[in-house]
Amino acid sequence: MPNVKPSTVLGRQLGDELRRLREAAGLTTAAAAKALDCTGGKISRIENGHVPVRTPDLVALMDAYGVTYAETRDRLGALAQRANRRRREGWWHQYGSVLADAYRDYIEMEDICDSIRTFQAQLVPGLLQTAAYGRTVTIASRAWHSAEEVEQFVEVRLARQERLAGERQLELWAILAEGVLRQQVGGPTVMRDQLEHLADMGERPNITVQVLPFSRGAHSGMFGPYLLMSFPRVSAQNLVLTETPTGNIWMEQESEVARYRELFDDARTSALPPTESLGLIRRIAKEHRP
């Protein structure tokens, strides 16, 4: 599997959008090259995400393609800025001492995507974790050695959850194996609070939570957790992320993304409906009450 760097992915998303606009304008790469006084090969490299696009070049291409809508021009300009930097200085920049590059990359992609679909077999997704649950998981990972580092990482996780509210609400669809609800993380109180929080979050209109019960037997999600990111406002190109203890693997090939969409759809149809899932979560939460 190719380990795709998100900075490269952003460049490819911009290139994909520029290619679509060029084709809609009925221009060849050679014709587009005249706008930049360059070769057709450079246009191809831009569209493949292999070279950065300077602001003057982007403006010239948009003019040549007849892009006059201000929102489209602003959106492409913002995407170009993101693509031309390894990572932009978002709110997470202040936590640089506790964030690995792979996690920075993930946060940046999460910040610009519109929807996430995820299957989890062991853990509550970070976007739905309580502080106590997240703290316990962070300590268990043994990736941070001081209490201060642990607390900073938990702060980052909680800050990420702001994407689930406000004007830019992220659409989140999480399918959890029943084992996620049964795994004892942090003791009865931590688990009770986490499960109640999970059920409450599942009531929000932009969040869907489903549980895949033990009784379903063997299923496609047994091979590991994953998430799919969608960027409908940027381009049709979506991404898949699988996580390992030593790093993240990003996949962008349409055949790979399509395969994970099939896996997610299979898990979705096998899981309990959302209402039944939230009922099960609340019943399990009650088991932890004194």
Side-chain angles (χ1 to χ4, degrees), residues 5 9 14 21 47 53 84 90 94-95 114 116 139 152 161 174 187 197 199 201 205 234 238 243 246 261 272:
K5 293 182 178 180
V9 171
L14 175 61
L21 292 170
E47 292 180 350
V53 185
N84 291 341
Q94 61 185 305
Y95 297 99
D114 290 291
I116 290 178
I139 293 172
Q152 287 185 337
Q161 297 176 5
H197 175 71
M201 295 294 284
V234 177
N238 299 327
E243 300 177 79
T246 56
R261 280 199 295 262
L272 297 174

Side-chain angles (χ1 to χ4, degrees), residues 85 87-95 104 107 111:
R85 285 182 284 184
R87 51 185 176 267
R88 68 189 176 97
E89 295 183 0
W91 59 262
W92 52 90
H93 181 70
Q94 61 185 305
Y95 297 99
R104 288 173 182 265
I107 295 175
D111 186 58

Side-chain angles (χ1 to χ4, degrees), residues 245-265:
T246 56
N248 297 335
I249 298 175
W250 293 89
M251 288 167 276
E252 62 173 345
Q253 295 298 320
E254 179 55 33
S255 59
E256 297 171 325
V257 175
R259 175 56 180 153
Y260 276 91
R261 280 199 295 262
E262 292 175 357
L263 292 175
F264 187 84
D265 286 342

Side-chain angles (χ1 to χ4, degrees), residues 29-184:
T29 55
K34 294 181 180 180
L36 302 186
D37 191 23
C38 67
T39 65
K42 179 177 179 178
I43 299 298
S44 295
R45 290 193 293 275
I46 288 174
E47 292 180 350
N48 290 326
H50 293 161
V51 296
V53 185
R54 298 183 305 115
T55 298
D57 289 346
L58 178 62
V59 171
L61 288 176
M62 289 191 293
D63 289 343
Y65 300 160
V67 180
T68 58
Y69 191 39
E71 183 178 351
T72 300
R73 295 176 72 96
D74 291 344
R75 175 168 55 82
L76 292 178
L79 179 57
Q81 290 180 356
R82 287 171 172 149
N84 291 341
R85 285 182 284 184
R86 168 69 175 147
R87 51 185 176 267
R88 68 189 176 97
E89 295 183 0
W91 59 262
W92 52 90
H93 181 70
Q94 61 185 305
Y95 297 99
S97 62
V98 296
L99 299 182
D101 285 346
Y103 195 48
R104 288 173 182 265
D105 290 339
Y106 173 79
I107 295 175
E108 180 171 355
M109 299 306 289
E110 184 180 79
D111 186 58
I112 65 173
C113 75
D114 290 291
S115 69
I116 290 178
R117 288 167 289 172
T118 183
F119 177 86
Q120 295 293 328
Q122 296 291 334
L123 294 173
V124 172
L127 288 171
L128 299 175
Q129 291 180 5
T130 63
Y133 183 98
R135 184 176 298 107
T136 303
V137 171
T138 301
I139 293 172
S141 72
R142 299 186 179 181
W144 293 268
H145 305 292
S146 72
E148 181 180 1
E149 289 176 336
V150 169
E151 289 307 312
Q152 287 185 337
F153 190 79
V154 173
E155 287 180 19
V156 170
R157 181 150 294 180
L158 296 178
R160 285 173 46 209
Q161 297 176 5
E162 295 181 9
R163 277 300 324 271
L164 297 173
E167 296 181 357
R168 296 178 55 242
Q169 286 188 0
L170 179 70
E171 297 288 335
L172 175 63
W173 193 327
I175 301 176
L176 312 178
E178 185 176 345
V180 174
L181 313 181
R182 302 289 184 181
Q183 184 73 37
Q184 295 297 301

Side-chain angles (χ1 to χ4, degrees), residues 128 171-175 201-202 204-210 274 278:
L128 299 175
E171 297 288 335
L172 175 63
W173 193 327
I175 301 176
M201 295 294 284
R204 294 190 180 185
N206 60 313
I207 300 175
T208 301
V209 177
Q210 288 184 267
L278 298 185

